[in-house]
Amino acid sequence: MLRIVHLADYPQHQQQVIDWQWQAFGSDNSRAFFASVVESSLRRDGLPITFIALLDDKPVGTVGLWRCDLISRQDLTPWLAALYVDESQRGNGLGLQLQQFVQDYSQQAGFSELYLYAEFSGYYERHGWQYIGDALDYPDRPVHLYHRRLG
């Protein structure tokens, strides 16, 4: 059975989430950065928050709700961030389920909109996100910005 839960309730999976985020989004020397973000999200209130998808108690994906995920656009908040699905579960709709979970959680928390960024295009537009322009990820990597109104 698939469940999406707070990582704070399953801290034994913290290292797996750090490894996924670092390998998917980081560079050689950025593991400590991802460890810091994940460690600061081990609570049930405030931002950032990290969620994990468990399939029969095995972690198979993760997603975050962060105050900011792009240094060059700190004026936008909050962000759906660090969406990752284990290779064994790709193509099964888990990415969409993780997105929907964060959208529902955000709306219940009183947020009226969400942002995210990606280096690629096509995927998020298919799932209702609106492309709102380009920006730079640190230090100079171009990315696409997306917005979603909730409710």
Side-chain angles (χ1 to χ4, degrees), residues 18-149:
I18 293 167
D19 287 343
W20 279 339
Q21 290 182 5
W22 174 49
Q23 292 165 6
F25 310 115
S27 60
D28 290 343
N29 59 354
S30 65
R31 189 177 193 286
F33 167 79
F34 289 98
S36 175
V37 172
V38 170
E39 288 167 11
S40 69
S41 71
L42 292 176
R43 56 200 160 100
R44 293 188 57 86
D45 60 337
L47 301 179
I49 301 172
T50 297
F51 303 102
I52 55 171
L54 297 174
L55 182 61
D56 299 325
D57 295 322
K58 178 185 179 228
V60 293
T62 185
V63 67
L65 177 61
W66 297 359
R67 185 190 65 76
C68 184
D69 189 25
L70 192 61
I71 293 170
S72 66
R73 292 305 308 263
Q74 294 185 46
D75 58 312
L76 306 176
T77 194
W79 293 73
L80 184 147
L83 174 64
Y84 180 86
V85 174
D86 186 72
E87 289 183 21
S88 68
Q89 296 301 310
R90 292 183 186 167
N92 295 334
L94 180 54
L96 182 58
Q97 290 178 12
L98 288 164
Q99 289 177 57
Q100 189 62 55
F101 184 89
V102 169
Q103 291 170 42
D104 294 345
Y105 183 93
S106 298
Q107 189 172 1
Q108 291 172 2
F111 296 112
S112 60
E113 56 194 349
L114 279 173
Y115 297 90
L116 66 80
Y117 80 88
E119 292 183 39
F120 51 86
S121 60
Y123 175 75
Y124 290 106
E125 292 93 333
R126 285 195 312 269
H127 299 298
W129 292 84
Q130 293 182 317
Y131 168 76
I132 59 172
D134 291 331
L136 289 177
D137 190 15
Y138 181 83
D140 60 359
R141 187 175 51 159
V143 294
H144 305 293
L145 291 176
Y146 296 92
H147 173 260
R148 179 138 196 170
R149 191 156 300 285

